[in-house]
Amino acid sequence: MHKSLMIASTLALSLGVASAQTTTPTPVTPTTAPATTTPATTTTAATQVTTFTDVPAGHWAKDAVDVITQRGLIQGFPDGTFRGNENLTRYQAALIFYRLLQTGALSSGSLSQTDLATITRGMQEVSTELAAISTRVTDLERLSADQQARITALEERITALGTGAAGADVTALTARIDALEAAVRNIPAGPQGPAGPAGPAGAAANTAALEQRIAALEQRATTTGTTTTTTGTVTTDTTPTTVVIDNTTNTNVANGVTRGNLYAGVNVGASSAGNTTCTLGSGGRAVNYCASFGGMIGSTQIVGPLGARIAADYKPGRNAISADVNATFGLNTGSNIQPYVGVGLGLTSSTNRAPNTTNNVTDTYVNGLVGVDFQVTNSIAAFVEGNGRYYLSNKGTGALTNSTTATDRGFVPAVKAGLKFYF
């Protein structure tokens, strides 16, 4: 009965509107009431009457279909068909009544009391669907207004960016907003039928995608480059970026251990005694090496990995004091073990070799060294080092160990070990 009531209401509605809108109504004698509700795809510009592929010229219902289609009550399906043999769904009937209310045709006075009563009963039958369609239209209108407001706000914020750090992106942002505006304008203004099995398959607006794109634009307008707009004022994020070049403190990192550049150290060492002997302490026994002890101060980095140090040591067996200045080059291995090499010049003061003399004389030498630090803590390292001194003269007993000729030159090897204190 419900289906018959909706069909009768729609038929009465169609005939009544046709008689109200045309001066010479065309007789219609349908046996089955066709009804479709989704937008058609082909219209003529002159009459706005849809041409359906399944309602050809000469069809018994052609005139009635043209009239109700021209009045906007039924628009057909997207594939250009009317589908007059299909059943009318409740949603389709509700959409027809909704369009009728929108056009004001019910208040024209051209419908009979019987037709009005039939239409009223049909509207009551689909009142739930009619209310749902009205709510969807209201929601679409509100969503369209909200999106337009957000796009307007985006335009104002982009304008405020001016020619700052984000100026290069203004053209791209404007183009994207223009595309969004076009998409919003293409949102269907009329209600869309549900996506049920027999319901209309209207072109629903992809509002979720638009929301995401607008949100992304708002975020980009806020954070593009390093520029942030606040009430029309452009401020630049000046978060400092630190670039360290030849830092002079705490730049030596080895396996999690950080050490300073400056250091001081103490050491003990031994060198070859040559063809003579050295004594261990005053009145001690003679040995074939000469012991020494000393200290140093230096820096591991002055220019890049290049450092410098000053070292001095005392050799009791020869009663000789030596001091040298060396340039060093450290090899950062990324571990606790840090090797280094160096070269420099030095002086040795010792007793004169000449017979019957007790005065001290000075000999010069070229120094070469190879060593390795083992970092124990942030401030303490143990080291072992090999030295090679090439003496340019041999006037004192602290110079060459295998010659007594003052003009001789020669090489004297030595080793030392000790501790360095970094700070």
Side-chain angles (χ1 to χ4, degrees):
M1 174 179 178
H2 292 168
K3 183 180 296 185
S4 300
L5 177 58
M6 288 187 290
I7 293 174
S9 301
T10 306
L11 182 59
L13 172 63
S14 304
L15 296 177
V17 173
S19 63
Q21 301 294 335
T22 61
T23 57
T24 58
T26 303
V28 180
T29 58
T31 59
T32 303
T36 55
T37 59
T38 55
T41 58
T42 307
T43 60
T44 61
T47 63
Q48 297 297 317
V49 176
T50 303
T51 300
F52 299 106
T53 59
D54 57 350
V55 186
H59 193 277
W60 64 268
K62 180 69 165 65
D63 293 338
V65 171
D66 288 346
V67 171
I68 62 175
T69 302
Q70 185 176 6
R71 304 297 174 252
L73 299 181
I74 298 179
Q75 297 178 349
F77 288 89
D79 60 357
T81 61
F82 188 75
R83 303 182 190 178
N85 293 326
E86 293 186 1
N87 292 330
L88 184 70
T89 68
R90 293 171 62 92
Y91 278 109
Q92 292 170 335
L95 188 56
I96 294 172
F97 287 128
Y98 180 83
R99 290 170 177 164
L100 179 66
L101 293 173
Q102 293 293 95
T103 59
L106 287 179
S107 62
S108 64
S110 61
L111 299 175
S112 67
Q113 292 298 323
T114 301
D115 289 341
L116 286 174
T118 303
I119 292 171
T120 301
R121 287 195 301 272
M123 292 176 64
Q124 291 174 349
E125 179 67 26
V126 295
S127 59
T128 302
E129 289 79 1
L130 191 59
I133 290 175
S134 178
T135 300
R136 291 189 64 188
V137 171
T138 302
D139 291 342
L140 281 173
E141 291 174 346
R142 183 174 60 254
L143 177 60
S144 179
D146 291 344
Q147 289 173 340
Q148 184 60 44
R150 292 174 68 181
I151 289 174
T152 301
L154 276 175
E155 289 176 337
E156 294 174 355
R157 296 174 71 178
I158 290 173
T159 301
L161 291 177
T163 58
D169 290 335
V170 170
T171 302
L173 288 174
T174 302
R176 295 186 66 183
I177 289 176
D178 289 342
L180 281 176
E181 288 178 333
V184 170
R185 285 195 296 269
N186 290 331
I187 295 176
Q192 302 299 316
N206 190 0
T207 57
L210 284 176
E211 287 283 346
Q212 294 176 357
R213 293 180 66 186
I214 290 174
L217 275 176
E218 289 175 334
Q219 179 66 21
R220 185 174 179 183
T222 302
T223 59
T224 297
T226 56
T227 302
T228 303
T229 59
T230 304
T231 63
T233 301
V234 179
T235 59
T236 301
D237 182 6
T238 57
T239 303
T241 301
T242 302
V243 179
V244 179
I245 300 177
D246 293 337
N247 189 15
T248 57
T249 58
N250 297 330
T251 59
N252 297 301
V253 180
N255 196 24
V257 179
T258 303
R259 66 183 186 182
N261 277 334
L262 301 179
Y263 63 89
V266 294
N267 61 268
V268 295
S271 62
S272 172
N275 53 13
T276 60
T277 59
C278 285
T279 57
L280 294 177
S282 179
R285 67 186 182 89
V287 293
N288 59 357
Y289 62 89
C290 294
S292 63
F293 58 89
M296 65 183 69
I297 57 172
S299 173
T300 58
Q301 289 184 340
I302 295 178
V303 178
L306 295 178
R309 82 173 191 189
I310 299 174
D313 62 65
Y314 175 65
K315 191 180 298 183
R318 292 284 190 263
N319 192 26
I321 298 176
S322 299
D324 50 59
V325 177
N326 298 274
T328 60
F329 180 85
L331 304 176
N332 191 347
T333 63
S335 66
N336 283 14
I337 299 175
Q338 301 291 307
Y340 60 91
V341 296
V343 64
L345 296 173
L347 300 174
T348 298
S349 176
S350 59
T351 305
N352 196 331
R353 291 182 182 276
N356 303 319
T357 58
T358 57
N359 62 308
N360 286 348
V361 292
T362 300
D363 295 294
T364 60
Y365 60 88
V366 177
N367 190 49
L369 58 94
V370 176
V372 61
D373 288 347
F374 179 81
Q375 201 72 29
V376 180
T377 67
N378 286 349
S379 58
I380 300 176
F383 75 94
V384 176
E385 182 179 301
N387 293 86
R389 298 178 179 179
Y390 183 81
Y391 278 93
L392 302 177
S393 62
N394 190 33
K395 295 179 289 185
T397 58
L400 297 180
T401 58
N402 55 0
S403 173
T404 58
T405 303
T407 57
D408 282 351
R409 299 182 177 188
F411 181 78
V412 178
V415 295
K416 63 175 66 175
L419 296 175
K420 294 179 181 177
F421 303 91
Y422 287 88
F423 51 91

